[in-house]
Amino acid sequence: MEAAHLRAGVAEIELHPPLGLAMSDGARYAKGTLYPLFVKALVLDNGHDACAIVTIDALGIDRPDGLRAAALAEQRCGVPADSIIMTCSHTHVAPSTLPTLHTYLGHFHADWGDTAKAMERDWIESLIEIIADAVCQAHGQLQLGSLGVVQTELPWLVFNRRRETRNLGAYTHWMRIPKDQAYAAEGPIDPEFLLYVVRGADHQPIAMLWNFTGHNSFNFGDQYSGDLTYSVQHALDERLGSHIPLLYAPGACGNTNYFDFNRPGGLDKATDEIASTIIATYRDACTLPILAIASRKAELFLAQRDFTRYWWKDDIARKMPSWNEYGAKEVKRFCAEQAEHETYQTDLVVQRFGDVAFVGLPGEMFVEFGLMIKERSPFRHTGVAIYANDYAGYITTRKAYDGGSYEAWPALNARVGREGGYLIVDKAVELLHELYNA
């Protein structure tokens, strides 16, 4: 690994999904567009190594489709597939892109069937092409540049959404928590706001990437919307009077949400806070033109949960009875799949840019895991992005796994066992140290 002059390129492609597709977690049919959806790509190359970060306005992407998109990008423009991190914004009102959630869609939408699945497949195939095109467009725009990171904290903007009760159980905050029971947040938050700034040869920003642990869940209706990704970009453009492509990489936020996210004006409040933070800090980034660039990818085979019984049945019946039948269907599906594959296969990718790093993790990792990686990382700054290259469902802490509630239930493709998150952290830290000492 050698340090050399950085070249950077960025691309933005607006998505135009047809109306009538199923939403990932909203209305059955999309009837319009509230805010545009985008795929954005940032390619960094120093002549020796190259990496790419791709941000996608989608709830998530399943591993087979992510692998195909990365392979296609490598085939077309040479950016190594194993060095690409594809992270999704997790907007709930983008077209459905997760075949692993078909049980969920089929249970809650009576008319979900072969036609809807075929439409979803067509859209996923289009998205795979667009992801590869975005990487190649960014690669084609490479220019001399520099990169740096600036850090601040926004502890008032997010909260841990899991609540411990007096009997040491757990409720997700939007559930009907019994009176006189909730008394403490189950876990911490990560207030760190990281901003990766990439400048061109004229020292002006050509792209920025922000990384923060908030859940991009604001709208759930029948209008396509990137929500926070678009609203922050739009606010930044207005305030700067020019356009700097802004990529969003959600941090480990499987159990954290923005304050007021489900109230009128919640999106506007989060947008204003984030845009203001970017405006206030981006000039402070000390960007370096000569950097070592490298990446490492690990394939992981994680133990699946124990599905020999419907262990969470009573917990679901008590806290969210509308999921009684759905949970049973998922357990049945998981048992059948587990008979064929004892482990759940997924990936993680770690990137190095000089003295800063960026980590892409699968699924909806709890905030504790992001904090563990940052604490143990040898780099000056380490960004952690989830929903990256695979949708492995919720990956919880041991405490949450035992305490139950929404994130711990066998649903939404959550099949990684109790120790899975800790094993992912250990492997990520191992790769970070390997890159640091290379």
Side-chain angles (χ1 to χ4, degrees):
M1 185 170 59
E2 298 183 38
H5 284 281
L6 176 70
R7 295 186 302 156
V10 64
E12 302 172 286
I13 300 178
E14 184 174 348
L15 302 176
H16 298 283
L19 300 182
L21 293 174
M23 295 292 199
S24 289
D25 192 19
R28 167 63 180 86
Y29 301 102
K31 298 180 180 179
T33 299
L34 178 62
Y35 293 140
L37 307 167
F38 283 86
V39 169
K40 302 183 182 183
L42 174 65
V43 173
L44 301 170
D45 187 321
N46 68 355
H48 301 286
D49 296 282
C51 295
I53 299 172
V54 183
T55 59
I56 309 162
D57 279 328
L59 189 74
I61 187 168
D62 280 339
R63 183 173 184 267
D65 296 317
L67 289 173
R68 287 181 55 213
L72 196 58
E74 180 177 18
Q75 176 187 334
R76 292 180 178 175
C77 58
V79 177
D82 288 352
S83 73
I84 299 175
I85 291 177
M86 291 167 282
T87 180
C88 296
S89 67
H90 204 60
T91 172
H92 289 56
V93 280
S96 172
T97 53
L98 294 169
T100 47
L101 295 190
H102 281 182
T103 305
Y104 177 82
L105 291 170
H107 180 78
F108 291 102
H109 299 297
D111 61 346
W112 175 261
D114 292 341
T115 299
K117 292 177 183 178
M119 292 174 64
E120 178 194 74
R121 188 72 250 167
D122 288 344
W123 174 246
I124 293 173
E125 293 299 321
S126 298
L127 188 60
I128 289 171
E129 291 283 338
I130 292 169
I131 292 169
D133 286 347
V135 173
C136 292
Q137 286 184 27
H139 185 265
Q141 299 294 322
L142 288 175
Q143 59 177 291
L144 287 175
S146 59
L147 180 146
V149 174
V150 63
Q151 178 266 343
T152 189
E153 293 190 352
L154 305 176
W156 59 85
L157 197 54
V158 292
F159 70 101
N160 192 299
R161 71 190 196 188
R162 288 176 57 86
R163 296 287 181 263
E164 286 186 322
T165 62
R166 294 179 63 84
N167 62 3
L168 300 183
Y171 281 78
T172 305
H173 84 284
W174 41 259
M175 292 177 172
R176 190 181 296 277
I177 303 175
K179 290 182 179 181
D180 306 322
Q181 284 295 311
Y183 71 93
E186 181 188 73
I189 63 168
D190 179 359
E192 183 178 59
F193 185 97
L194 286 181
L195 185 68
Y196 292 70
V197 179
V198 182
R199 295 191 173 103
D202 61 357
H203 306 297
Q204 297 302 309
I206 61 172
M208 293 188 283
L209 180 148
W210 61 280
N211 176 224
F212 187 60
T213 55
H215 224 89
N216 186 22
S217 54
F218 292 91
N219 286 295
F220 293 87
D222 58 11
Q223 305 289 305
Y224 294 135
S225 179
D227 281 0
L228 202 56
T229 58
Y230 177 79
S231 63
V232 172
Q233 176 76 74
H234 182 69
L236 192 72
D237 291 350
E238 284 192 334
R239 298 180 192 192
L240 290 176
S242 61
H243 179 70
I244 300 172
L246 191 62
L247 289 77
Y248 166 57
C253 57
N255 54 342
T256 62
N257 277 94
Y258 288 96
F259 279 111
D260 300 327
F261 77 97
N262 58 347
R263 299 177 183 174
L267 177 58
D268 293 337
K269 177 180 177 180
T271 298
D272 178 67
E273 294 279 0
I274 292 164
S276 296
T277 298
I278 294 171
I279 291 289
T281 59
Y282 83 93
R283 296 177 184 86
D284 296 334
C286 178
T287 58
L288 302 177
I290 297 177
L291 294 175
I293 294 176
S295 67
R296 295 289 187 273
K297 177 180 178 178
E299 293 185 349
L300 303 174
F301 295 84
L302 302 172
Q304 296 199 50
R305 297 179 174 209
D306 178 6
F307 296 114
T308 55
R309 284 180 54 195
Y310 188 0
W311 300 101
W312 298 266
K313 182 177 179 180
D314 292 340
D315 197 44
I316 291 175
R318 181 170 60 255
K319 299 172 183 175
M320 202 168 170
S322 62
W323 274 31
N324 283 341
E325 294 182 11
Y326 164 59
K329 289 180 180 178
E330 287 286 40
V331 168
K332 183 178 180 180
R333 174 171 77 94
F334 293 158
C335 284
E337 294 179 3
Q338 194 172 31
E340 297 182 7
H341 304 284
E342 291 185 359
T343 58
Y344 181 85
Q345 185 174 0
T346 189
D347 305 303
L348 69 87
V349 178
V350 175
Q351 299 171 334
R352 173 184 179 176
F353 313 119
D355 62 352
V356 300
F358 191 70
V359 179
L361 303 176
E364 303 201 39
M365 302 281 291
F366 270 32
V367 67
E368 287 90 338
F369 298 125
L371 290 168
M372 291 175 194
I373 290 172
K374 292 179 181 183
E375 182 180 358
R376 295 167 59 187
S377 172
F379 288 91
R380 183 168 61 90
H381 294 296
T382 301
V384 176
I386 61 172
Y387 317 114
N389 297 21
D390 181 27
Y391 184 75
Y394 281 98
I395 300 177
T396 74
T397 60
R398 299 177 184 117
K399 185 175 185 179
Y401 188 90
D402 294 340
S405 194
Y406 173 79
E407 298 84 358
W409 293 338
L412 301 175
N413 204 43
R415 72 260 311 282
V416 174
R418 186 172 180 265
E419 301 301 311
Y422 301 91
L423 296 173
I424 292 172
V425 168
D426 287 345
K427 192 63 180 180
V429 172
E430 176 187 327
L431 296 182
L432 285 166
H433 280 274
E434 183 178 324
L435 286 178
Y436 185 79
N437 294 317

